[in-house]
Amino acid sequence: MAFQQPLDQIAPSVSEATERERERQESTLGMIASENHVSEAVLEAQGSVLTNKYAEGYPGNRYYGGCQHVDTVEQLGIDYAKELFGADHVNVQPHSGTQANMAVYFAALEPGDKILSLSLSHGGHLSHGHNVNFSGQLYDVEQYEVDPETGYIDYDDLEEMANEFDPDMIVSGSSAYPREFRYERIGEIADDTDSYHLADIAHVTGLIAADVHSSPINHADFVTGSTHKTIRAGRGGLIMCDQQYADDIDSAVFPGAQGGPLMHNVAGKAAGFAEALTDEFEAYAEQVLANAKTLANVFETRGLSLVSGGTDKHLLLVDLRESHPDITGKQAESLLSDVGIIVNKNTVPGETRSPMVTSGIRVGTPALTTRGFKEDEMETVAELIVEILENPDNQTIQDRVTSTVEDLCEELPIYSE
Ligand SMILES: *Cc1c(COP(=O)(O)O)cnc(C)c1O
């Protein structure tokens, strides 16, 4: 009976591509700052029969029968998140970080209202008002930038912009800003201009959960996050807010922006949050930061220029223009990919090339830290990256680096023993 057959019999090509993807993850160094590897427990939760269940509504208040067990799962996800972040109210249903932001905008703004956010080319996110995204199409968006000299956000400038623009919402948070946001200062600017503060912690959800990064709770009206980046809870999003906004947020998620929640993903979130409550996870988050500092130190010593001169978190932005003016971000990404080091090209402040070419690369440590990389291994990885950038045409060096990458991957596997 087809219903009983495993994937490799029903859809062999899908099965094979999935197996290849597992091998690719095992045999390469994943340094894309937004990616990570979830535990066996999270994989188990996400691949469960919960995918079969419709549960529109919220625990104890659903539109469908038979929700007693998914109610338990969702309530645990909410309770764990409250404990991790100290939030009043939590919604774990957003299918993604973008969907979480959408729900906050729907709850707090009217179409045409004004949003002030960090520009995409300076580290912001599409869902913060870019014109190819609904957020840029529905709202009137103005964007702040980082100081091209220092690579830091200039908060006096931001305040001045806010006073002039008179936004309805100020968004903090980024995909490629290597420094912590000053949430308290942005909260004050938002208060002074009578606007909401949305803190999008997508990249740093796990760092905040582990208390190794400052928290925007109490400095922002709304906090949105991803559950698959520095926290290893599977793909998805979450929203946190004060009790006063709870009903507005919940109805903006469902029925406002989504239909039935993906209960298997909600279970993944609950499992990942439970893991994040352990001491082991705190040690993991500390190691993520220590590894990023190690990368930064080697890069600086070897003459690579870093936006803002370093990092406070899990990612670095390498500006190649000074050290390697002839290598674009796109070429660097491809050279490194050829030897099994996976990073992404990224625009840098004051970028002169197109977003498809760029002059920088973004390098992150969450995934390598998950597979057990510590300072020693990170030093080796940093040296390998520098060697490749310095010898773009040397096949002998590329072969040697490829083999070192393979050795590192075998020494520290992700899933296999
Ligand atoms: C990754 C990210 C998101 C969420 O992205 P999804 O792919 O929609 O989950 C939102 N905001 C920022 C700043 C991000 O970096």
Side-chain angles (χ1 to χ4, degrees):
M1 219 173 74
F3 194 72
Q4 311 284 357
Q5 281 176 9
L7 183 61
D8 62 354
Q9 287 174 30
I10 289 295
S13 305
V14 173
S15 171
E16 194 184 318
T18 306
E19 191 45 40
R20 287 263 158 85
E21 171 59 14
R22 176 191 282 265
E23 285 162 16
R24 188 196 65 80
Q25 291 182 22
E26 289 285 357
S27 64
T28 54
L29 300 179
M31 303 189 78
I32 293 178
S34 50
E35 292 183 356
N36 212 327
H37 309 289
V38 298
S39 67
E40 298 283 358
V42 172
L43 284 180
E44 186 185 334
Q46 287 196 319
S48 70
V49 295
L50 297 189
T51 194
N52 298 334
K53 190 72 197 95
Y54 248 112
E56 288 179 352
Y58 290 96
N61 188 21
R62 305 280 191 185
Y63 289 81
Y64 290 89
C67 283
Q68 61 272 39
H69 305 302
V70 292
D71 273 6
T72 304
V73 170
E74 183 168 349
Q75 192 57 51
L76 284 170
I78 291 167
D79 292 345
Y80 293 150
K82 283 184 178 174
E83 197 176 335
L84 280 174
F85 299 99
D88 264 7
H89 180 74
V90 177
N91 187 308
V92 293
Q93 290 190 8
H95 303 331
S96 72
T98 296
Q99 225 81 61
N101 287 339
M102 175 185 260
V104 169
Y105 301 148
F106 284 3
L109 303 175
E110 298 292 333
D113 277 358
K114 297 186 197 172
I115 294 177
L116 179 59
S117 61
L118 180 64
S119 126
L120 183 66
S121 60
H122 286 237
H125 191 255
L126 289 167
S127 64
H128 294 179
H130 198 278
N131 55 20
V132 299
N133 181 265
F134 79 92
S135 55
Q137 292 155 10
L138 284 185
Y139 306 105
D140 176 7
V141 180
E142 194 131 312
Q143 303 210 288
Y144 55 96
E145 300 190 333
V146 304
D147 179 332
E149 291 301 311
T150 64
Y152 279 81
I153 290 164
D154 181 327
Y155 289 89
D156 294 333
D157 271 4
L158 172 54
E159 182 167 18
E160 211 169 290
M161 268 187 101
N163 284 329
E164 252 168 54
F165 182 54
D166 191 22
D168 298 289
M169 178 176 284
I170 302 178
V171 182
S172 62
S174 69
S175 304
Y177 181 59
R179 297 298 177 176
E180 288 201 12
F181 274 79
R182 290 173 56 191
Y183 296 121
E184 187 170 0
R185 180 79 197 271
I186 295 184
E188 285 163 8
I189 297 171
D191 282 346
D192 290 346
T193 52
D194 202 20
S195 65
Y196 292 112
H197 175 199
L198 162 61
D200 177 349
I201 61 169
H203 262 263
V204 291
T205 312
L207 305 181
I208 292 172
D211 238 347
V212 300
H213 182 290
S214 63
S215 168
I217 300 277
N218 301 327
H219 303 305
D221 301 286
F222 308 98
V223 177
T224 53
S226 296
T227 52
H228 49 272
K229 295 180 182 176
T230 47
I231 200 161
R232 297 172 297 196
R235 197 151 289 272
L238 89 164
I239 305 175
M240 299 180 273
C241 64
D242 284 347
Q243 203 54 45
Q244 59 171 320
Y245 303 123
D247 289 346
D248 289 343
I249 285 294
D250 286 351
S251 47
V253 174
F254 171 82
Q258 298 185 168
L262 311 177
M263 290 315 299
H264 54 303
N265 278 6
V266 170
K269 290 172 196 178
F273 294 165
E275 286 169 16
L277 283 164
T278 62
D279 292 344
E280 199 181 317
F281 185 78
E282 198 181 314
Y284 162 74
E286 278 166 6
Q287 191 66 52
V288 166
L289 296 189
N291 285 350
K293 291 255 180 329
T294 302
L295 272 186
N297 288 341
V298 176
F299 285 167
E300 293 256 82
T301 313
R302 299 291 305 267
L304 290 185
S305 159
L306 301 176
V307 172
S308 84
T311 181
D312 295 334
K313 37 201 200 199
H314 61 296
L315 66 86
L316 315 173
L317 199 49
V318 180
D319 185 342
L320 296 164
R321 288 176 298 190
E322 259 176 51
S323 57
H324 301 88
D326 299 333
I327 302 182
T328 66
K330 184 179 175 187
Q331 285 165 331
E333 176 187 308
S334 155
L335 282 166
L336 291 166
S337 168
D338 287 345
V339 296
I341 301 175
I342 313 301
V343 304
N344 64 282
K345 62 181 178 290
N346 214 100
T347 52
V348 290
E351 182 62 73
T352 46
R353 295 185 172 112
S354 88
M356 292 310 289
V357 180
T358 80
S359 306
I361 50 172
R362 188 183 66 162
V363 186
T365 57
L368 289 188
T369 308
T370 291
R371 64 194 293 173
F373 281 52
K374 298 212 161 58
E375 286 87 339
D376 281 355
E377 291 86 7
M378 290 315 293
E379 235 177 271
T380 307
V381 172
E383 295 285 355
L384 297 179
I385 291 173
V386 172
E387 264 191 284
I388 290 299
L389 294 176
E390 283 181 355
N391 301 282
D393 301 314
N394 187 327
Q395 193 60 46
T396 314
I397 289 182
Q398 286 163 7
D399 290 344
R400 184 164 46 71
V401 170
T402 303
S403 120
T404 311
V405 167
E406 284 165 4
D407 292 346
L408 282 166
C409 291
E410 271 171 36
E411 259 167 60
L412 292 165
I414 306 162
Y415 293 109
S416 36
E417 282 303 290

